[in-house]
Amino acid sequence: MSFSCSSECFSDLLSGGGDYSPEYSSDLESRPPDVEEAIAGLLEDERDLFRISSSRSDHHQRRPIDASVRAESVAWILKVQRYYGFQPLTAYLSVNYFDRFLHSHHLPKINGWPLQLLSVACLSLAAKMEEPLVPLLFNLQVEDAKFIFEPKNIQRMELLVLRVLDWKLRSITPFCYLRFFALKIDPTGNYTDFISSRATEIILSTNQERSFLECRPSCLAAAVIICAANYLPKFSSISAGQHAESWCHGLINKDEIMSCHKLIRQIALNNIWRKVSPHLRIMYCEDDQKFILHEENADN
């Protein structure tokens, strides 16, 4: 379906004004050479950003979009990432911009063409940040895009996203920690490539789940590294509660890591069981400290 908008069509969507300058956070650059010190710095920055974000959330609550609508937008971003062979970080940042924008800005509609336009704009911005070669804006709209936008309208949406995000496109992500955590599990380095690669796949799979939005990048990274390592018999006994807390001298929240780890396992098991029956769900029983199989009412 071809969709073209006039300037009037964007009057509500692109509302707001004011002067702004291209400032963005560069926390991931100019780090000290010592790895431990660099990770400690990242964790401190992450905690500060998380505290600021939580404070803003208390004052600027937006009506969240439907989980299935968000999942559809994220799924499209991931399909385009695979189509062009973009880095996993590009897809992650696209979703990061998407969620941050919706958290701070009201769209006239929370489904349909505004979300598709936002998805294209966020993917384009992330690709420009991370990819050496970026497709033309028109060519970026592949993989069954529901609406096709003119490049000038995508560019206007990009400017709105930049303004809403205060031009801060560099983010602390789980990818910042993967190699460091993988080496904590396997100091020899023999399995770190496999663990990091598998962890990357898990991170991308969690992007479609809104439940992970509250997980801090470091905690999500620790949880997925443990999940990835558990695929190897050599590291199958490693657990979130016993190991991850010691990796960074207590700066990581053990309870949050365990929560992320349980959520990852629960979603993975649900995906397996739903192939058997769409009415089966895995639920975690706090009393018994284990996962149980639950059958949903087919009428619900």
Side-chain angles (χ1 to χ4, degrees):
M1 177 186 299
S2 178
F3 188 92
S4 177
C5 285
S6 63
S7 297
E8 290 78 8
C9 183
F10 285 80
S11 59
D12 291 333
L13 185 63
L14 301 178
S15 59
D19 297 329
Y20 48 86
S21 59
E23 299 177 355
Y24 56 86
S25 60
S26 56
D27 301 86
L28 307 186
E29 297 178 350
S30 304
R31 285 289 170 197
D34 182 76
V35 176
E36 295 278 351
E37 186 179 349
I39 293 297
L42 280 175
L43 288 166
E44 289 289 350
D45 292 344
E46 180 185 296
R47 288 198 301 178
D48 291 341
L49 291 171
F50 187 81
R51 186 164 48 248
I52 293 171
S53 176
S54 298
S55 175
R56 289 176 177 174
S57 297
D58 294 337
H59 297 88
H60 302 284
Q61 286 289 347
R62 297 285 181 186
R63 180 163 62 99
I65 66 172
D66 183 83
S68 62
V69 174
R70 177 188 177 277
E72 184 178 351
S73 296
V74 175
W76 178 81
I77 289 174
L78 293 176
K79 286 196 293 185
V80 178
Q81 178 254 336
R82 289 191 294 267
Y83 180 90
Y84 281 111
F86 290 158
Q87 301 176 66
L89 179 57
T90 300
Y92 183 92
L93 287 177
S94 303
V95 179
N96 177 276
Y97 302 161
F98 181 91
D99 288 327
R100 286 166 56 197
F101 179 93
L102 289 177
H103 183 77
S104 304
H105 190 84
H106 173 71
L107 286 176
K109 291 174 59 180
I110 55 173
N111 55 32
W113 68 265
L115 281 186
Q116 177 67 36
L117 179 58
L118 176 61
S119 300
V120 176
C122 291
L123 179 58
S124 173
L125 288 171
K128 290 171 182 175
M129 288 292 293
E130 301 298 331
E131 302 298 329
L133 296 175
V134 181
L136 297 175
L137 290 175
F138 186 83
N139 295 336
L140 201 59
Q141 303 174 83
V142 293
E143 291 296 312
D144 302 319
K146 291 185 177 180
F147 304 93
I148 302 298
F149 302 97
E150 296 179 7
K152 64 179 181 181
N153 290 331
I154 299 174
Q155 290 171 339
R156 295 182 66 194
M157 189 65 192
E158 287 179 332
L159 287 174
L160 176 60
V161 172
L162 288 168
R163 185 167 68 243
V164 170
L165 300 187
D166 196 26
W167 292 81
K168 292 180 172 62
L169 297 187
R170 292 195 180 278
S171 297
I172 299 176
T173 74
F175 299 104
C176 301
Y177 303 99
L178 290 188
R179 185 73 178 178
F180 177 78
F181 290 163
L183 285 170
K184 287 294 182 179
I185 289 179
D186 176 33
T188 67
N190 293 332
Y191 302 95
T192 53
D193 286 344
F194 171 85
I195 294 173
S196 297
S197 176
R198 188 72 187 95
T200 296
E201 295 174 9
I202 298 173
I203 290 172
L204 292 184
S205 70
T206 65
N207 259 349
Q208 296 190 58
E209 299 290 338
R210 196 166 61 184
S211 309
F212 288 96
L213 292 179
E214 300 302 320
C215 293
R216 285 185 285 179
S218 59
C219 294
L220 180 57
V224 299
I225 279 291
I226 292 171
C227 286
N230 289 159
Y231 278 89
L232 297 169
K234 181 180 178 67
F235 306 111
S236 60
S237 63
I238 291 178
S239 66
Q242 296 176 354
H243 295 84
E245 191 178 26
S246 64
W247 291 348
C248 296
H249 309 293
L251 289 176
I252 291 182
N253 187 312
K254 181 179 71 172
D255 291 337
E256 189 173 347
I257 294 172
M258 293 177 65
S259 177
C260 289
H261 187 262
K262 290 175 185 175
L263 189 56
I264 293 169
R265 290 180 60 198
Q266 182 174 335
I267 290 173
L269 290 171
N270 272 329
N271 290 337
I272 293 172
W273 279 104
R274 283 189 178 277
K275 294 178 181 179
V276 178
S277 170
H279 305 302
L280 293 176
R281 278 185 67 82
I282 298 294
M283 302 180 67
Y284 188 78
C285 180
E286 293 290 347
D287 294 335
D288 298 332
Q289 296 288 300
K290 65 180 181 180
F291 291 98
I292 59 174
L293 191 61
H294 172 72
E295 186 168 5
E296 296 178 328
N297 190 332
D299 296 330
N300 290 342

